[in-house]
Amino acid sequence: MFTGIIECVGRIAAVEPRGGDCRMRIAAPDYLSGVRIGDSIATSGVCLTAIEIADGTYVADLSAETLSLTTAGSWQVGRAVNLERALTPDKPLGGHLVTGHVDGVGHLLEKTEDARSWRLEFEAPQELARYIARKGSVCVDGVSLTVNAVSGVRFGINIVPHTAAHTTLGELKPGDAVNLEVDLIARYLERLLSSREEA
């Protein structure tokens, strides 16, 4: 589990195709102290397992499913990625509960300045839109955000200067693809209600 509060921005250092899936090396100097092999690191919202740690980098295997269902399939060397280590009992829950299991890929439609902040409008896949509610939570590329507005498959968020400067969201451009994870509670609530109706 994660919180969606980004701790570091790393960069893809190497991409090694391996017969349909791939292995990636992610550079994060001065961030990996205390990280051990087998630990989970949310990488732009995708939960990856560190299988090697050396020289300020970690290595992870990405399955064919991960590559096809997230933006990871398009990651190239040099790309910036948001990083967060797994939640521990002594870590503040500053964002919301995030699993690192990406639900789908959305796209940035508009980006406009609002005083010192930015307003971003995204389009979500149709099947995810019902889980996104005004003043609810959504995870975009691993970042926990509050939804400001919803209209059909579109939703808007606001990022303050700190978020723009310390995550990859400040560099997004209209048309860019992003990993989306909808609120965990919304998914379980729907399942509970549908089970009740079936009964």
Side-chain angles (χ1 to χ4, degrees):
M1 298 295 289
F2 306 92
T3 69
I5 302 299
I6 301 306
E7 299 172 321
C8 174
V9 174
R11 292 198 177 271
I12 304 298
V15 178
E16 180 186 342
R18 291 202 165 196
D21 58 21
C22 81
R23 178 166 287 181
M24 291 190 186
R25 182 177 295 275
I26 297 94
D30 305 320
Y31 175 67
L32 299 174
S33 176
V35 175
R36 299 173 298 179
I37 291 174
D39 283 356
S40 297
I41 301 175
T43 306
S44 282
V46 183
C47 179
L48 298 180
T49 301
I51 62 170
E52 180 184 320
I53 302 165
D55 302 321
T57 70
Y58 67 96
V59 174
D61 285 323
L62 285 77
S63 69
E65 180 169 357
T66 296
L67 295 173
S68 66
L69 297 180
T70 73
T71 63
S74 66
W75 293 354
Q76 300 293 325
V77 172
R79 180 191 177 101
V81 286
N82 296 316
L83 303 179
E84 181 191 357
R85 287 170 287 199
L87 181 63
T88 58
D90 61 341
K91 184 177 178 181
L93 184 58
H96 70 284
L97 289 175
V98 175
T99 65
H101 302 157
V102 173
D103 291 304
V105 173
H107 292 86
L108 178 63
L109 299 176
E110 296 180 22
K111 180 179 181 181
T112 56
E113 289 186 76
D114 184 5
R116 294 183 305 115
S117 298
W118 289 94
R119 289 190 177 272
L120 307 181
E121 184 173 359
F122 295 94
E123 181 177 59
Q126 181 69 49
E127 64 273 16
L128 297 184
R130 66 179 179 271
Y131 300 112
I132 301 173
R134 184 176 180 273
K135 298 306 176 185
S137 296
V138 67
C139 191
V140 178
D141 274 351
V143 184
S144 172
L145 297 165
T146 299
V147 178
N148 286 346
V150 176
S151 178
V153 297
R154 296 186 173 204
F155 68 94
I157 59 95
N158 183 82
I159 58 170
V160 296
H162 179 86
T163 303
H166 292 90
T167 74
T168 62
L169 299 188
E171 301 300 318
L172 285 177
K173 302 179 298 298
D176 285 348
V178 293
N179 291 317
L180 298 178
E181 182 182 333
V182 297
D183 185 60
L184 185 65
I185 295 172
R187 286 188 296 185
Y188 278 112
L189 182 59
E190 181 188 54
R191 178 61 178 163
L192 287 169
L193 291 175
S194 65
S195 297
R196 182 174 297 178
E197 290 173 1
E198 291 170 4

